[in-house]
């Protein structure tokens, strides 16, 4: 299976985080915000200019940039 | 522990901790009323808020509001302060006796992450489960007994905005013995084992209670002053990695697993997938087209209010200040002291006070936008544009505020976690045309166009061009600094988009007042001092000729001499010594320019109304050889200078404060004023080459 990234998940679809290839500090911050390995999320919408992305994780809405989302590998659900 | 003894009674120290937006401020205000003090932690620009309240038995308690954070991993200054206080590692703030963790019960799982970290610190804990009203309306059922059982501490359901649960919370805090959480998050066995090793070392150094928390911080990569511990920690990390685990991520995941387990035991969500009205609102407010429409409308409304509604109270203040000056002036005999009081102190302080209505309205809007949750959307919408110059959406709010005044703008940069980004934002904020530049633009535009000759649109066009020039300079400089001096990874944007909420007027008003007070105090002291200095420069030495006109007197004074001495410097820009004085006096505050011109041209200066006499006499001003001084080209060049130059002592003072050194403000003065000089030079000389 080709590797799926968070940025590939379409709006209103879900995914589960598998691994991140971000700088250690950045991925820890994501983890602390609840986007840990194994966490499921749903893509809610994109900002008017297409970036950043808004997702729903652990019951709240979080937005992150596309460049960072491209470094988060996920399983589409 | 570290409680102070007042008249034989122990004053308990309580600290509030919680995620941003959990209602901490509301709870703090509900508990303390207005018995609060806002200041800074020494050495850092993290806001320190303390207050007093009375416990269940009427005993006095001290309440400390820790900065709202998502984690205690001591990465940002806010987190470091909170972490150090909870561990009892700050000399200026003793370890709290009880910590109240404020949780947003509509967002329990992520809010519990912070509790997991607090549990590791082994401080006596009470959980304030806030916003249960919202939880209920969302169909979230909370089993308090189960949560209390899982955490091993008191759990108090609350609605901070309606003061529901306040008594119960006080009861819980006032109990003779408040205990720490029962069971911190269990770590994977390999990490537990390594933690034990480090814990032993920490206990041997007397840090028994907080050993677990400190050991885990070390494992996750925190530095320790003691090299032995640092070394032991790096060995531990290596062994953890060798065992196939991750010393950074596995503790985070373990805490979330702990939080999840508590949520599963104590919360049931009827209808987790229903669209809330907040979701529906966001469909419009962040819509590709409507999102922009609303965004522009909100900003327009805000600016129109700042520049029109504020005008009335500004006129009143202005009139009041003049009347006061006259009244006091008429009660005193003509003397230097009277001049100091009326021309120096009263008109100087008045020049700051007059901006208060604008500042209040600005802060009212900002507070309203924050309280409703729209501010996060503004950052969400603007992030893409800001990213083009290497900043992120969170820099938008400070820059926006700077259109009213750079001081609140610079204060608002505190929400930017990344230090370099914050510096860049502080650095470029004064380029935004603040309201103090308006009188200058207004005077010069009036001088360019004799009345009735051109349409309002041409004037408005020039005004707009000046605003755009400032914006361009801000963004261009931000880009430049991100590429050079303050180079660094564009930090990750992680922005929570909280649900929209009905704003609570009281919260917005308290907020507005606190911010404005800070503005008044900081700007007021500097301007007051400078007004006196400026007054002295413009008044001494006295012209020995008693019949000298005010203009001649000014020419003789120190300020006049400085102006003359400066003439060679400003001549290439097309300015004479009088404009030179205007520039010098503007370094205290830009709006002084018009007043200085009035003194020099020896006309009655009426603020706001831009007396026709002043405009005429400025327009008629000539060089000794009869050429006009204020040609349209000079006026444009002068406006460009005012757009770009940093001529505001209060800004300099606040930048010094916020960056904790003189290096940045001095560099900023040199950079901005240098750029202003070069730009004005290009405008003037270039214009002349083109034959204007
Ligand atoms: N419905 C409801 N709203 C609340 C409650 N407590 C606070 N709020 C609202 O939630 C919003 C956030 O409250 P604040 O007190 O500003 O939150 P905070 O934790 O201090 O947030 P930061 O200042 O960002 O750290 C405000 O609009 C409050 O009016 C509550 O119990 N119920």
């Amino acid at each position: 299976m080709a590797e799926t990234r968070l940025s590939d998940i379409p709006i209103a679809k879900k995914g589960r985080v598998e691994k991140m290839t971000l700088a250690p500090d950045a991925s820890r911050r994501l983890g602390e915000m609840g986007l840990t390995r194994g966490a499921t999320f749903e893509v809610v919408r994109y900002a008017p200019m297409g970036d950043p992305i808004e997702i729903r994780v652990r019951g709240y809405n979080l937005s992150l940039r596309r460049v960072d989302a491209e470094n988060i590998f996920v399983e589409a659900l | 522990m570290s409680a102070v003894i007042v008249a034989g009674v122990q004053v308990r120290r309580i600290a509030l901790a919680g995620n941003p937006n959990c209602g901490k401020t509301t709870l703090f205000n509900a508990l303390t009323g207005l018995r609060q003090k806002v200041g800074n932690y020494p050495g850092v620009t993290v806001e320190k808020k303390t207050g007093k309240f009375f416990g269940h038995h009427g005993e006095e308690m001290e309440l400390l509001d820790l900065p709202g954070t998502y984690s205690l991993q001591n990465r940002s200054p806010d987190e470091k302060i909170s972490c150090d206080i909870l561990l009892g590692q700050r000399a200026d703030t003793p370890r709290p006796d009880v910590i109240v963790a404020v949780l947003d019960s509509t967002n329990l799982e992520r809010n519990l992450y912070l509790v997991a970290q607090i549990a590791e610190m082994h401080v006596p804990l009470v959980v304030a489960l806030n916003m249960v009203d919202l939880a209920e309306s969302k169909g979230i059922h909370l089993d308090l007994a189960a949560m209390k059982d899982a955490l091993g501490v008191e759990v108090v359901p609350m609605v901070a905005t309606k003061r529901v649960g306040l008594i119960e919370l006080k009861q819980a805090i006032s109990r003779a013995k408040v205990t720490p959480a029962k069971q911190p998050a269990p770590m994977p066995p390999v990490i537990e084992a390594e933690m034990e090793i480090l814990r032993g070392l920490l206990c041997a150094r007397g840090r028994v209670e907080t050993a677990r928390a400190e050991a885990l911080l070390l494992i996750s990569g925190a530095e320790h002053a003691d090299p032995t511990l640092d070394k032991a920690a790096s060995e531990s990390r290596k062994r953890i990695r060798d065992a196939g685990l991750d010393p950074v991520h596995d503790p985070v995941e373990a805490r979330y697993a702990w939080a999840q387990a508590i949520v599963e035991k104590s919360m049931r969500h009827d209808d987790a997938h229903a669209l809330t009205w907040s979701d529906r609102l966001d469909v419009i407010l962040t819509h590709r087209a409507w999102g922009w429409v609303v965004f522009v409308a909100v900003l327009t409304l805000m600016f129109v209010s700042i520049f029109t509604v504020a005008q009335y109270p500004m006129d009143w203040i202005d009139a009041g200040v003049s009347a006061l000056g006259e009244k006091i002036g008429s009660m005193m005999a003509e003397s230097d002291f009277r001049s100091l009081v009326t021309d120096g102190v009263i008109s100087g302080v008045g020049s700051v006070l007059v901006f208060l209505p604008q500042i209040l309205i600005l802060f009212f809007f900002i507070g309203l936008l924050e309280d409703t949750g729209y501010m996060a959307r503004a950052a969400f919408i603007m992030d893409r544009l800001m990213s083009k110059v290497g900043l992120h959406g969170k820099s938008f709010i400070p820059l926006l505020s700077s259109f009213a005044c750079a001081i609140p703008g610079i204060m608002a940069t505190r929400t930017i976690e990344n230090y370099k980004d914050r510096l860049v934002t502080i650095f470029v904020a004064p380029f935004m045309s603040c309201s103090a530049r308006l009188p200058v633009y207004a005077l010069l535009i009036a001088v360019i166009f004799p009345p009735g000759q051109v349409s309002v649109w041409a004037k408005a066009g020039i005004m707009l061009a000046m605003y755009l020039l400032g914006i361009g300079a801000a963004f261009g400089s931000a880009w430049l600094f991100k590429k050079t001096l303050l180079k660094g990874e564009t930090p990750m944007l992680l922005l929570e988009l909280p649900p929209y909420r009905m704003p609570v007027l009281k919260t917005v008003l308290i907020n507005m007042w606190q911010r404005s007070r800070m503005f008044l105090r900081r700007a007021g002291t500097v301007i007051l001092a400078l007004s006196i200095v400026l007054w002295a420069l413009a008044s001494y030495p006295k012209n020995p000729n008693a019949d000298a006109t005010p203009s001649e007197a000014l020419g003789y004074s120190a300020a006049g001499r400085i102006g003359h001495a400066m003439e060679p410097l400003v001549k290439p820009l097309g300015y004479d010594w009088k404009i030179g004085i205007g520039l010098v006096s503007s370094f205290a505050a830009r709006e002084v320019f018009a007043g200085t011109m009035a003194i020099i041209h020896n006309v009655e200066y009426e603020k706001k109304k831009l007396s026709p006499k002043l405009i005429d006499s400025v327009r008629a001003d000539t060089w000794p050889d009869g050429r006009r001084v204020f040609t349209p080209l000079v006026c444009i060049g002068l406006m460009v200078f005012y757009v770009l130059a940093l001529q505001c002592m209060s800004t300099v003072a606040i930048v010094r404060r916020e960056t904790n050194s003189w290096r940045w403000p001095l560099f900023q003065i040199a950079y901005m004023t240098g750029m202003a000089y070069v730009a004005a030079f290009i405008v003037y000389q270039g214009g002349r080459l083109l034959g204007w």
Side-chain angles (χ1 to χ4, degrees), chain B residues 593-606:
Chain B
F593 181 77
T596 313
M597 286 295 118
I599 299 176
I600 296 176
H601 289 106
N602 198 7
V603 293
E604 282 295 316
Y605 170 55
E606 294 175 48

Side-chain angles (χ1 to χ4, degrees), chain B residues 217-234:
Chain B
L217 282 171
L218 283 171
I219 286 177
S220 302
E223 279 166 20
H224 199 283
D226 181 342
T228 332
L229 274 170
D230 251 356
K231 190 156 163 292
S234 89

Side-chain angles (χ1 to χ4, degrees), chain A residues 2 4 8 11-12 17-19 23-24 26 28 31 34 36 44-45 49-50 55-57 64 70 74 77:
Chain A
T4 316
D8 300 331
I11 289 175
V17 179
E18 285 186 332
K19 69 168 198 268
R28 176 170 72 203
T36 53
V44 178
R45 65 172 61 84
M49 293 174 82
I55 64 170
R56 196 168 171 78
V57 60
L64 68 166
E70 279 164 3
V74 303
L77 295 179

Side-chain angles (χ1 to χ4, degrees), chain B residues 397-399 401-402 405-415 422 425-430 522 646 650-652 654-659 668:
Chain B
I397 296 142
L399 294 184
S401 312
S402 301
C405 175
I407 293 164
I410 287 165
M411 272 154 44
T413 60
R414 291 182 177 184
T415 54
R422 186 162 166 232
T425 312
I426 290 178
F427 212 89
V428 305
R522 288 180 190 170
L646 180 57
S650 321
T651 304
V652 172
I654 196 95
V655 173
R656 201 217 80 83
R657 236 201 111 99
E658 298 288 304
T659 59
Q668 196 174 19

Side-chain angles (χ1 to χ4, degrees), chain A residues 25-34 37 45 47-48 51-52 54 58 60-65 68, chain B residues 71 73 75 107 109-110 113 220 249 253 256 286 292 383-384 387 391-392 417 490 492 494-495 497:
Chain A
D25 197 50
S27 56
R28 176 170 72 203
R29 277 188 66 198
L30 272 173
E32 287 173 342
M33 297 297 284
R37 284 175 300 186
R45 65 172 61 84
D51 192 20
E54 179 178 341
R58 296 189 195 264
Y60 80 103
N61 294 26
L62 176 70
S63 81
L64 68 166
R65 281 186 175 165
D68 298 314
Chain B
S71 149
Q73 198 62 56
R75 208 176 29 225
N107 190 352
E109 198 168 320
R110 200 207 58 218
Y113 181 83
S220 302
H249 285 279
E253 280 163 25
Y256 263 111
T286 59
W292 289 110
D383 181 67
R384 189 70 218 274
S387 74
L391 293 177
H392 65 47
E417 300 113 4
T490 302
M492 187 167 51
L494 272 182
L495 181 69
L497 296 168

Side-chain angles (χ1 to χ4, degrees), chain B residues 100-115:
Chain B
V100 176
V102 186
L103 308 190
D104 170 356
S105 47
T106 63
N107 190 352
L108 204 51
E109 198 168 320
R110 200 207 58 218
N111 275 253
L112 277 168
Y113 181 83
L114 188 70
V115 178

Side-chain angles (χ1 to χ4, degrees), chain B residues 18-29 49 65-69 102 129-134 158-162 164 370-373 501-504 507 511:
Chain B
N19 287 180
N21 245 304
C22 63
K24 220 154 49 66
T25 310
T26 312
L27 179 57
F28 186 86
N29 291 341
K49 238 163 83 180
D65 194 12
L66 296 176
T69 60
V102 186
L129 198 54
N130 195 26
M131 308 208 189
V132 289
D133 55 334
L134 292 177
M158 303 200 67
V159 183
T161 39
K162 303 214 172 75
V164 173
E370 273 176 355
D371 214 36
T372 50
R501 295 202 184 99
M502 273 317 263
V504 178
T507 315
N511 215 328

